[in-house]
Amino acid sequence: MARLTTAAARRAAARVAEAIGEGRALPPFPEDCRPATPAAGGRIAALALAELDLAPVGLRLAPGLAPGTEVAGPLVEPRLLRSPATLPAPAMPTGRRVTLALLAQLGADLPARATPYRAGDVLRRIASLHAALDLAETRFAEGPPDLPSHLADLAGLGLVVFGPPARAGWQEAARRPLAATLRSDADEAWHGAVEAAAALVRAAEAARHAGGLPAGALLLVAGLSPPRPDAACEARIPRVGTVACRSASPP
């Protein structure tokens, strides 16, 4: 398998950056700059952000293309919105996939150490925890053709809406399953349980394998509920908080 050259990666990144910056559709990559591995897709995403003059502020762990899988991608500040948020219409006809999420801000470094992280390690490093809504969106008009292309497209990063910080005592509560609700104007309400500590550990492990994160960086883990249509919605996780989108699509 031929390695993606620097020139080819930059050509692919320019396509991604144009699609993101101008809200245009992203056609499948030409053969001469198509990423063939997840690493190549991540490399293209990093180059695209650099071209857009955007620096990652953390890591987003979100559902992958195959059922039951997760993929890590970057988080960028312009895509973060405080709740309640009135959202613009999605840029692409594929729309958005809304899932319940958790957003954590680190109060201490999360280094790329040799040993895996445990719940206590992760929870002690978190300065604040927020209920969030992940509105995943692809720039590919017909959806990403494969995993490397999906990663090149920032792993489907759309917008993230987050609520206020959880109140004191959330660290202990997060060790137990937390009942959660996601209500959408376009679908029946979802009621389920969130394994907050386990979800945060998965995000921390993804960050560890990606090289670690400094204090102040963000960890987002999405996909904590089944996907809901792109519509006004509100979610609540007891002991963590609430988060709402006033409108996720035009009337």
Side-chain angles (χ1 to χ4, degrees):
M1 184 180 295
R3 182 179 181 274
L4 195 68
T5 66
T6 299
R10 291 191 180 281
R11 288 197 299 274
R15 289 171 174 264
V16 175
E18 181 178 14
I20 294 172
E22 300 183 13
R24 295 185 180 180
L26 179 62
F29 293 110
E31 189 62 31
D32 68 344
C33 63
R34 180 180 64 84
T37 65
R43 183 179 169 208
I44 290 169
L47 289 170
L49 289 181
E51 186 159 328
L52 291 166
D53 198 24
L54 293 173
V57 295
L59 178 141
R60 170 178 171 265
L61 187 69
L65 298 182
T69 63
E70 293 178 307
V71 295
L75 264 180
V76 293
E77 190 171 3
R79 297 278 169 158
L80 298 170
L81 301 175
R82 292 184 181 275
S83 172
T86 300
L87 304 180
M92 298 302 301
T94 49
R96 302 183 179 111
R97 290 165 55 89
V98 184
T99 61
L100 182 61
L102 287 170
L103 179 68
Q105 182 166 35
L106 296 174
D109 292 349
L110 191 72
R113 67 188 195 186
T115 56
Y117 282 104
R118 298 182 181 273
D121 299 330
V122 177
L123 296 177
R124 283 193 295 271
R125 287 175 162 82
I126 294 175
S128 65
L129 184 67
H130 311 252
L133 294 167
D134 182 78
L135 295 98
E137 185 175 9
T138 179
R139 266 55 63 177
F140 291 101
E142 299 181 359
D146 50 41
L147 178 59
S149 295
H150 179 55
L151 293 172
D153 185 30
L154 309 189
L157 175 64
L159 296 170
V160 174
V161 181
F162 65 98
R167 294 181 179 179
W170 67 262
Q171 291 93 337
E172 186 60 34
R175 295 176 179 271
R176 303 184 300 274
L178 298 173
T181 302
L182 175 57
R183 302 183 186 279
S184 168
D185 283 359
D187 207 344
E188 294 183 0
W190 171 82
H191 303 277
V194 171
E195 301 275 357
L200 292 167
V201 167
R202 295 198 308 274
E205 281 294 281
R208 179 174 74 91
H209 289 295
L213 288 172
L218 302 176
L219 272 180
L220 177 83
V221 56
L224 301 182
S225 70
R228 285 294 180 262
D230 189 17
C233 54
E234 180 177 3
R236 180 175 183 268
I237 307 175
R239 305 299 299 273
V240 177
T242 61
V243 58
C245 300
R246 288 197 179 104
S247 177
S249 60

